[in-house]
Amino acid sequence: VEFLYCDLASMKSIRQFVQQFRAKNCPLHVLVNNAGVMLVPERKTEDGFEEHFGLNYLGHFLLTNLLLDTLKQSGTHSHNARIITVSSATHYVGKLHLNDLQSRCSYSPHGAYAQSKLALVLFTYRLQHLLTANGSHVTANVVDPGVVNTELYKHVFWVVKVVKWMTAWLFFKTPEEGASTAIYAAVSPELEGAGGCYLYNEERTKSADVAYDEELQRRLWTESCKMVGISDEGSRLP
């Protein structure tokens, strides 16, 4: 195991990480996008992005796109490279505000978090469409880990913290249990060659209806490319 530093809240750090990784000339068979913050007060990343959207979504969007060539070179017909992105059931109540992705008009920690998680589902579906259209041996799936007992809840109201402390053993998954679906998506033979799936408890399930809106997927992808400064190759595909 070798550690390489990457701050998903920094576009500069992501680019530096990718340069370091590429310099090693290693194949890349599995990429798990799992960084995140939840319900943080209104604040911005060093690039000026609202933190939920910038870290939870844009950081993973840029990282994945910069590593796509390596993933494509690593995947084969019998063993596809795999991209697994961790979203949340919160995406079901999320709304994507294309005219205000940075939540400048009216900031809500819950709304910003839910939007970032919905964006990850839309991104995964669009990415799989592009990978299929290019004939790439790479699959992209999105997973819901469930309610997991981690430090992600440190910004919730104190009453919720007390309830969590009292009931976590009964209602919350352990980190190991929360990781199981992402691991399943990364290594299960049952998912070989299968992409564009939303997975919960190691099973394919239906995501929010709005996540299947292909026009919304395309518009988010195009806007995301502009925000992180990469070319929108996908705009030329149906």
Side-chain angles (χ1 to χ4, degrees), residues 6 21 58 83 96 98 103-104 140 190 212 219 224 231-232:
C6 181
F21 180 80
L58 284 178
I83 300 167
L96 195 76
L98 277 172
S103 302
R104 294 190 179 98
E190 296 174 17
Y212 298 103
R219 292 176 65 190
S224 302
S231 62
D232 182 12

Side-chain angles (χ1 to χ4, degrees), residues 37-44 49-54 56 97 100-116 155:
V37 292
M38 184 175 77
L39 308 183
V40 296
E42 186 173 9
R43 60 195 188 196
K44 300 183 185 302
F49 300 123
E50 186 277 315
E51 190 169 8
H52 289 100
F53 196 77
N56 295 4
H97 302 284
D100 186 28
L101 291 172
Q102 304 303 318
S103 302
R104 294 190 179 98
C105 294
S106 178
Y107 182 77
S108 158
H110 293 84
Y113 176 70
Q115 176 180 244
S116 72
H155 293 289

Side-chain angles (χ1 to χ4, degrees), residues 61-100:
F61 179 86
L62 178 62
L63 178 67
T64 303
N65 273 279
L66 294 181
L67 290 172
L68 267 183
D69 285 344
T70 306
L71 284 157
K72 290 176 180 178
Q73 293 165 10
S74 305
T76 65
H77 177 71
S78 57
H79 290 90
N80 281 215
R82 303 187 185 190
I83 300 167
I84 297 93
T85 297
V86 179
S87 181
S88 162
T90 312
H91 91 275
Y92 286 104
V93 298
K95 294 182 179 180
L96 195 76
H97 302 284
L98 277 172
N99 296 323
D100 186 28

Side-chain angles (χ1 to χ4, degrees), residues 4-31:
L4 292 178
Y5 178 79
C6 181
D7 180 359
L8 269 291
S10 165
M11 302 295 116
K12 179 180 179 181
S13 177
I14 294 169
R15 293 180 184 276
Q16 290 175 339
F17 165 79
V18 172
Q19 287 182 339
Q20 292 176 328
F21 180 80
R22 283 178 173 170
K24 295 180 177 297
N25 292 315
C26 294
L28 178 57
H29 298 109
V30 178
L31 172 64

Side-chain angles (χ1 to χ4, degrees), residues 80-215:
N80 281 215
R82 303 187 185 190
I83 300 167
I84 297 93
T85 297
V86 179
S87 181
S88 162
T90 312
H91 91 275
Y92 286 104
V93 298
K95 294 182 179 180
L96 195 76
H97 302 284
L98 277 172
N99 296 323
D100 186 28
L101 291 172
Q102 304 303 318
S103 302
R104 294 190 179 98
C105 294
S106 178
Y107 182 77
S108 158
H110 293 84
Y113 176 70
Q115 176 180 244
S116 72
K117 291 301 180 178
L118 173 59
L120 289 170
V121 183
L122 289 158
F123 156 66
T124 298
Y125 292 165
R126 180 60 181 168
L127 176 59
Q128 183 58 54
H129 175 82
L130 298 176
L131 290 168
T132 301
N134 285 315
S136 303
H137 297 307
V138 184
T139 59
N141 290 303
V142 59
V143 305
D144 172 7
V147 183
V148 187
N149 188 15
T150 69
E151 289 300 307
L152 197 62
Y153 294 84
K154 64 183 179 180
H155 293 289
V156 300
F157 192 54
W158 71 268
V159 174
V160 179
K161 288 183 180 179
V162 172
V163 173
K164 173 181 175 291
W165 178 76
M166 295 174 62
T167 63
W169 64 275
L170 181 61
F171 298 112
F172 284 60
K173 292 183 178 182
T174 65
E176 290 78 11
E177 291 169 338
S180 66
T181 301
I183 295 171
Y184 169 77
V187 302
S188 174
E190 296 174 17
L191 286 178
E192 180 56 50
C197 302
Y198 185 85
L199 304 166
Y200 176 65
N201 284 346
E202 300 181 17
E203 294 183 356
R204 304 183 200 192
T205 188
K206 189 174 182 295
S207 62
D209 289 340
V210 68
Y212 298 103
D213 185 332
E214 294 184 0
E215 178 61 21

